[in-house]
Amino acid sequence: MTTQSPTPIHDAVREHYAERIKKNASCCGSPDCCSTDSNLYPADLLSTLPAGESAVSYGCGDPITLASLLPGQTVLDLGSGAGLDCFFAAKKVGETGRAIGVDMTPEMIERATASAKRMGITNVEFRQGYLEDLPVEKDSVDVIISNCVINLSPDKAKVFAEAFRVLKPGGKLAVSDIVTDGPLPEEVKQSLSAWAGCVAGAIDARDYTAMMESAGFREITLTPVFFDQETVDSALDEMKLDVKDYPREAIHKTVYSAKITAYKPA
Ligand SMILES: C[S@@+](CC[C@H](N)C(=O)[O-])C[C@H]1O[C@@H](n2cnc3c(N)ncnc32)[C@H](O)[C@@H]1O
């Protein structure tokens, strides 16, 4: 039973991603995933997908490589979308392990579940729910992954507290996400379309890691991965985001993707 009530931000984000998956669009409008999906992952990982399956990604990085998954592990994907990272994770942890995806958008859960069935992946399941109130047992997960999702939450501190609760002691968090270096203009922060496009909800990298630390995480690392200007421009075009007195070059320098890792103390 969920205790999280959807906020206007949850509603806007859910509608945005429901629309995208219905249209089969695989670019989320953030300054990264508008390249091509396959650019995010190494070829040897992409080749683990069954022949004929395409990599439907709304992500901004490769949390699978960051996670260094091992056979037998239980992996939880926060905001699993169409399921791609869960499918990779299920393959890495093998039949003795399993992958669980949580997402609030019913259309994403339906798509991911149908794809898993079609691909014959049996050690994966998708649960509908909020990151701020995970439908997952405490101390039950070895590794948490997430790809371009935590920036979308209106209550990131709660997401980190929930991630900490469900991880086993010694468990690892491996996340790709959008963060900022410094503040964004108020006009950008107020835009729901920029929020759904992974820009307005992004917070300063220092605040992000401080929230993780407050939740109890330790050994936190954050490595920036900057976008090229062309990628930023096409994403901003899609969001129709043009802010007076705030040139696009400034957004390019302020908003970036990051590889983030941390551990729950043993
Ligand atoms: C940018 S997409 C990323 C999807 C997937 N991780 C990928 O890489 O393709 C964001 C996903 O997170 C989900 N999401 C956003 N905020 C959420 C929240 N607070 N609780 C649960 N799911 C959320 C959306 O429904 C959407 O499917």
Side-chain angles (χ1 to χ4, degrees), residues 10 13 17 28 56-59 77 79-81 85 102-105 108 129-132 147-149 152-153 198:
H10 286 110
V13 169
Y17 286 100
C28 72
V56 180
S57 170
Y58 300 82
D77 184 9
S80 42
D85 286 320
V102 171
D103 201 289
M104 68 178 174
T105 304
M108 287 294 189
Y130 293 100
L131 268 50
E132 298 84 354
N147 199 346
C148 212
V149 182
L152 296 167
S153 169
C198 304

Short mmCIF file of all heavy atoms in Angstrom, two decimals, residues 10 13 17 28 56-59 77 79-81 85 102-105 108 129-132 147-149 152-153 198, ligand 1:
data_model
loop_
_atom_site.label_atom_id
_atom_site.label_comp_id
_atom_site.label_asym_id
_atom_site.label_seq_id
_atom_site.Cartn_x
_atom_site.Cartn_y
_atom_site.Cartn_z
N HIS A 10 4.82 14.85 -10.20
CA HIS A 10 4.65 13.43 -10.58
C HIS A 10 3.68 13.32 -11.76
O HIS A 10 3.94 12.57 -12.71
CB HIS A 10 4.07 12.62 -9.41
CG HIS A 10 5.04 12.36 -8.31
ND1 HIS A 10 4.95 12.95 -7.09
CD2 HIS A 10 6.12 11.55 -8.25
CE1 HIS A 10 5.94 12.52 -6.31
NE2 HIS A 10 6.66 11.67 -6.99
N VAL A 13 5.28 14.55 -15.03
CA VAL A 13 6.34 13.64 -15.50
C VAL A 13 5.71 12.34 -16.02
O VAL A 13 6.08 11.84 -17.09
CB VAL A 13 7.35 13.36 -14.36
CG1 VAL A 13 8.30 12.23 -14.71
CG2 VAL A 13 8.13 14.62 -14.02
N TYR A 17 6.05 10.85 -19.90
CA TYR A 17 6.66 9.57 -20.29
C TYR A 17 5.64 8.57 -20.82
O TYR A 17 5.96 7.75 -21.69
CB TYR A 17 7.53 9.01 -19.14
CG TYR A 17 8.79 9.83 -19.05
CD1 TYR A 17 8.93 10.83 -18.10
CD2 TYR A 17 9.80 9.67 -19.99
CE1 TYR A 17 10.05 11.65 -18.07
CE2 TYR A 17 10.92 10.48 -19.98
CZ TYR A 17 11.05 11.46 -19.02
OH TYR A 17 12.15 12.28 -19.02
N CYS A 28 14.32 11.39 -24.29
CA CYS A 28 13.55 11.98 -23.20
C CYS A 28 13.59 13.49 -23.17
O CYS A 28 12.96 14.12 -22.35
CB CYS A 28 14.01 11.44 -21.85
SG CYS A 28 15.61 12.06 -21.36
N VAL A 56 15.50 0.53 -26.32
CA VAL A 56 14.65 1.69 -26.05
C VAL A 56 15.10 2.32 -24.73
O VAL A 56 14.84 1.80 -23.66
CB VAL A 56 13.16 1.30 -25.98
CG1 VAL A 56 12.30 2.53 -25.69
CG2 VAL A 56 12.72 0.62 -27.26
N SER A 57 15.79 3.46 -24.84
CA SER A 57 16.37 4.10 -23.66
C SER A 57 15.91 5.54 -23.53
O SER A 57 15.81 6.26 -24.52
CB SER A 57 17.89 4.06 -23.75
OG SER A 57 18.45 4.87 -22.74
N TYR A 58 15.66 5.94 -22.30
CA TYR A 58 15.39 7.34 -21.98
C TYR A 58 16.47 7.82 -21.01
O TYR A 58 16.26 8.76 -20.26
CB TYR A 58 14.00 7.48 -21.33
CG TYR A 58 12.87 7.01 -22.21
CD1 TYR A 58 12.55 5.66 -22.29
CD2 TYR A 58 12.14 7.90 -22.98
CE1 TYR A 58 11.53 5.21 -23.10
CE2 TYR A 58 11.11 7.47 -23.80
CZ TYR A 58 10.82 6.12 -23.85
OH TYR A 58 9.81 5.67 -24.66
N GLY A 59 17.59 7.12 -21.01
CA GLY A 59 18.60 7.36 -20.00
C GLY A 59 19.65 8.38 -20.40
O GLY A 59 19.61 8.97 -21.49
N ASP A 77 16.12 -1.39 -10.12
CA ASP A 77 16.28 -0.24 -11.02
C ASP A 77 15.21 0.80 -10.67
O ASP A 77 14.00 0.54 -10.80
CB ASP A 77 16.13 -0.72 -12.47
CG ASP A 77 16.38 0.40 -13.48
OD1 ASP A 77 16.83 1.49 -13.07
OD2 ASP A 77 16.12 0.17 -14.68
N GLY A 79 13.02 3.70 -11.46
CA GLY A 79 12.52 4.37 -12.67
C GLY A 79 12.94 3.59 -13.89
O GLY A 79 13.70 4.07 -14.73
N SER A 80 12.43 2.36 -14.00
CA SER A 80 12.94 1.40 -14.99
C SER A 80 12.47 1.67 -16.41
O SER A 80 12.98 1.05 -17.35
CB SER A 80 12.56 -0.02 -14.55
OG SER A 80 11.23 -0.05 -14.08
N GLY A 81 11.52 2.57 -16.61
CA GLY A 81 11.09 2.92 -17.96
C GLY A 81 10.69 1.70 -18.76
O GLY A 81 9.95 0.83 -18.30
N ASP A 85 17.67 -1.30 -18.86
CA ASP A 85 18.72 -1.58 -17.87
C ASP A 85 18.41 -2.84 -17.07
O ASP A 85 19.32 -3.57 -16.68
CB ASP A 85 18.94 -0.37 -16.94
CG ASP A 85 19.66 0.76 -17.65
OD1 ASP A 85 20.60 0.48 -18.42
OD2 ASP A 85 19.27 1.93 -17.45
N VAL A 102 11.18 -0.60 -10.82
CA VAL A 102 10.05 0.14 -10.25
C VAL A 102 9.84 1.41 -11.07
O VAL A 102 10.81 2.11 -11.38
CB VAL A 102 10.30 0.51 -8.76
CG1 VAL A 102 9.22 1.47 -8.25
CG2 VAL A 102 10.33 -0.74 -7.90
N ASP A 103 8.60 1.67 -11.44
CA ASP A 103 8.28 2.88 -12.20
C ASP A 103 6.84 3.27 -11.88
O ASP A 103 5.99 2.40 -11.66
CB ASP A 103 8.44 2.61 -13.70
CG ASP A 103 8.64 3.90 -14.49
OD1 ASP A 103 7.68 4.68 -14.62
OD2 ASP A 103 9.78 4.12 -14.98
N MET A 104 6.57 4.57 -11.86
CA MET A 104 5.21 5.03 -11.52
C MET A 104 4.27 5.05 -12.73
O MET A 104 3.07 5.22 -12.57
CB MET A 104 5.26 6.43 -10.91
CG MET A 104 5.69 7.50 -11.90
SD MET A 104 5.67 9.12 -11.13
CE MET A 104 6.37 10.10 -12.47
N THR A 105 4.83 4.93 -13.95
CA THR A 105 4.01 5.10 -15.15
C THR A 105 3.49 3.74 -15.64
O THR A 105 4.29 2.90 -16.07
CB THR A 105 4.84 5.80 -16.26
OG1 THR A 105 5.33 7.03 -15.73
CG2 THR A 105 4.02 6.06 -17.51
N MET A 108 4.72 2.35 -18.93
CA MET A 108 6.11 1.85 -18.92
C MET A 108 6.15 0.42 -18.36
O MET A 108 6.84 -0.45 -18.90
CB MET A 108 7.01 2.76 -18.07
CG MET A 108 7.33 4.09 -18.71
SD MET A 108 8.34 3.88 -20.20
CE MET A 108 8.74 5.60 -20.55
N GLY A 129 5.14 1.80 -8.88
CA GLY A 129 5.26 2.48 -7.59
C GLY A 129 6.11 3.72 -7.70
O GLY A 129 6.66 4.02 -8.77
N TYR A 130 6.19 4.42 -6.59
CA TYR A 130 6.95 5.67 -6.54
C TYR A 130 8.33 5.44 -5.92
O TYR A 130 8.47 4.65 -4.98
CB TYR A 130 6.21 6.72 -5.71
CG TYR A 130 4.92 7.17 -6.36
CD1 TYR A 130 3.70 6.66 -5.95
CD2 TYR A 130 4.96 8.10 -7.40
CE1 TYR A 130 2.52 7.07 -6.56
CE2 TYR A 130 3.79 8.51 -8.01
CZ TYR A 130 2.57 7.99 -7.58
OH TYR A 130 1.42 8.38 -8.19
N LEU A 131 9.29 6.18 -6.43
CA LEU A 131 10.65 6.11 -5.85
C LEU A 131 10.64 6.61 -4.41
O LEU A 131 11.48 6.22 -3.61
CB LEU A 131 11.60 7.00 -6.66
CG LEU A 131 12.37 6.36 -7.80
CD1 LEU A 131 11.49 5.57 -8.72
CD2 LEU A 131 13.18 7.38 -8.56
N GLU A 132 9.68 7.48 -4.11
CA GLU A 132 9.62 8.07 -2.76
C GLU A 132 8.95 7.13 -1.77
O GLU A 132 8.87 7.43 -0.57
CB GLU A 132 8.84 9.40 -2.80
CG GLU A 132 9.46 10.49 -3.67
CD GLU A 132 9.11 10.38 -5.14
OE1 GLU A 132 8.45 9.39 -5.54
OE2 GLU A 132 9.50 11.28 -5.91
N ASN A 147 18.78 5.34 -13.98
CA ASN A 147 19.29 6.01 -15.18
C ASN A 147 18.43 7.22 -15.53
O ASN A 147 17.35 7.07 -16.11
CB ASN A 147 19.34 5.00 -16.34
CG ASN A 147 20.26 5.44 -17.46
OD1 ASN A 147 20.68 6.60 -17.51
ND2 ASN A 147 20.56 4.52 -18.36
N CYS A 148 18.87 8.38 -15.12
CA CYS A 148 18.21 9.64 -15.51
C CYS A 148 16.83 9.80 -14.90
O CYS A 148 15.90 10.23 -15.57
CB CYS A 148 18.12 9.70 -17.04
SG CYS A 148 18.24 11.38 -17.67
N VAL A 149 16.68 9.46 -13.63
CA VAL A 149 15.36 9.45 -13.00
C VAL A 149 15.30 10.30 -11.72
O VAL A 149 14.34 11.06 -11.53
CB VAL A 149 14.90 8.01 -12.66
CG1 VAL A 149 13.52 8.02 -12.06
CG2 VAL A 149 14.94 7.13 -13.90
N LEU A 152 14.15 13.75 -11.60
CA LEU A 152 12.72 14.01 -11.86
C LEU A 152 11.88 14.04 -10.59
O LEU A 152 10.73 14.46 -10.61
CB LEU A 152 12.16 12.93 -12.80
CG LEU A 152 12.77 12.89 -14.21
CD1 LEU A 152 12.36 11.59 -14.92
CD2 LEU A 152 12.33 14.08 -15.02
N SER A 153 12.45 13.57 -9.49
CA SER A 153 11.66 13.48 -8.25
C SER A 153 11.53 14.84 -7.57
O SER A 153 12.52 15.56 -7.42
CB SER A 153 12.31 12.49 -7.28
OG SER A 153 11.69 12.62 -6.01
N CYS A 198 14.23 16.53 -17.73
CA CYS A 198 15.41 16.25 -16.91
C CYS A 198 16.31 17.46 -16.68
O CYS A 198 17.49 17.28 -16.34
CB CYS A 198 16.26 15.11 -17.49
SG CYS A 198 15.38 13.59 -17.77
C1 LIG B 1 13.98 9.62 -18.16
S1 LIG B 1 12.99 8.18 -17.98
C2 LIG B 1 14.26 6.97 -17.72
C3 LIG B 1 13.78 5.55 -17.89
C4 LIG B 1 14.86 4.48 -17.82
N1 LIG B 1 15.61 4.57 -16.59
C5 LIG B 1 15.78 4.53 -19.01
O1 LIG B 1 16.99 4.76 -18.83
O2 LIG B 1 15.31 4.36 -20.14
C6 LIG B 1 12.29 8.40 -16.38
C7 LIG B 1 11.40 7.27 -15.90
O3 LIG B 1 11.26 7.41 -14.49
C8 LIG B 1 9.91 7.31 -14.11
N2 LIG B 1 9.75 8.17 -12.92
C9 LIG B 1 10.01 9.50 -12.84
N3 LIG B 1 9.81 9.94 -11.59
C10 LIG B 1 9.40 8.88 -10.85
C11 LIG B 1 9.04 8.71 -9.49
N4 LIG B 1 9.05 9.73 -8.63
N5 LIG B 1 8.66 7.47 -9.07
C12 LIG B 1 8.64 6.42 -9.95
N6 LIG B 1 8.97 6.53 -11.25
C13 LIG B 1 9.36 7.74 -11.71
C14 LIG B 1 9.13 7.77 -15.33
O4 LIG B 1 7.83 7.20 -15.34
C15 LIG B 1 10.00 7.29 -16.48
O5 LIG B 1 9.65 6.01 -16.90
#
